[in-house]
Amino acid sequence: GSPGRSITVQNESGAIPVVIGDVNRLHQVIGNLITNAMRHGGDDAAATITLRTENQRVLVDVSDNGKGIPASDLPHLFERFYRADESRSRASGGSGLGLSIVKGLVEAHGGTISVESTVGEGTVFHINLPAAPDDSPGDVLGDAPEDAPTRT
């Protein structure tokens, strides 16, 4: 775990944004990005999830105020097996597959993902997903089916 670490959720959409998709895979996307923020942001990094809606899209930003990622690494972050810092990644057990899988899951849901980062200031991953139609019964990102395993 990350004792004493902060993860904040800011909902700027005015309602609960809803997307249609596999709730477990969408949780995996957010979970991976938060885990990366905690693991690679540095000992004091805090993470924020910001939700917005715009033009029938749900926008999710996962940001941290940690170490940041060098500009030369940014174009490669979503490539399979790419690791920005070989020694740190080996030490933390990373395979270099996490962000490749995240990108595939976001795209499978009709979305896009991009990243911005400044060394010494932090990183922001921008996820853009199609919003569920207003009359859709789609899963709310925070809901899980009754038979789904839950973590506490």
Side-chain angles (χ1 to χ4, degrees):
S2 302
R5 302 291 287 279
S6 162
I7 301 171
T8 304
V9 178
Q10 298 176 335
N11 185 353
E12 299 177 356
S13 68
I16 297 174
V18 179
V19 300
I20 295 176
D22 182 328
V23 68
N24 294 318
R25 299 290 73 84
L26 293 169
H27 280 158
Q28 183 180 351
V29 166
I30 302 302
N32 180 287
L33 294 175
I34 290 294
T35 298
N36 283 352
M38 296 288 108
R39 182 177 292 152
H40 301 297
D43 291 340
D44 298 321
T48 302
I49 302 169
T50 306
L51 305 168
R52 298 186 317 282
T53 51
E54 182 179 297
N55 299 324
Q56 296 300 318
R57 306 292 289 184
V58 174
L59 309 177
V60 182
D61 290 346
V62 178
S63 60
D64 68 65
N65 61 355
K67 295 178 181 176
I69 302 165
S72 60
D73 289 320
L74 292 177
H76 307 288
L77 282 185
F78 297 106
E79 295 172 9
R80 288 176 52 135
F81 304 114
Y82 185 81
R83 298 188 294 196
D85 178 339
E86 282 291 323
S87 62
R88 186 176 66 208
S89 295
R90 269 199 305 272
S92 64
S95 65
L97 286 173
L99 290 175
S100 174
I101 291 169
V102 161
K103 183 175 195 275
L105 290 172
V106 168
E107 291 176 349
H109 284 83
T112 59
I113 185 168
S114 60
V115 61
E116 295 177 70
S117 190
T118 303
V119 171
E121 293 182 20
T123 302
V124 183
F125 285 88
H126 302 283
I127 301 168
N128 182 321
L129 294 164
D134 290 337
D135 59 353
S136 167
D139 278 330
V140 175
L141 189 57
D143 288 349
E146 289 179 20
D147 60 345
T150 56
R151 289 181 293 186
T152 55

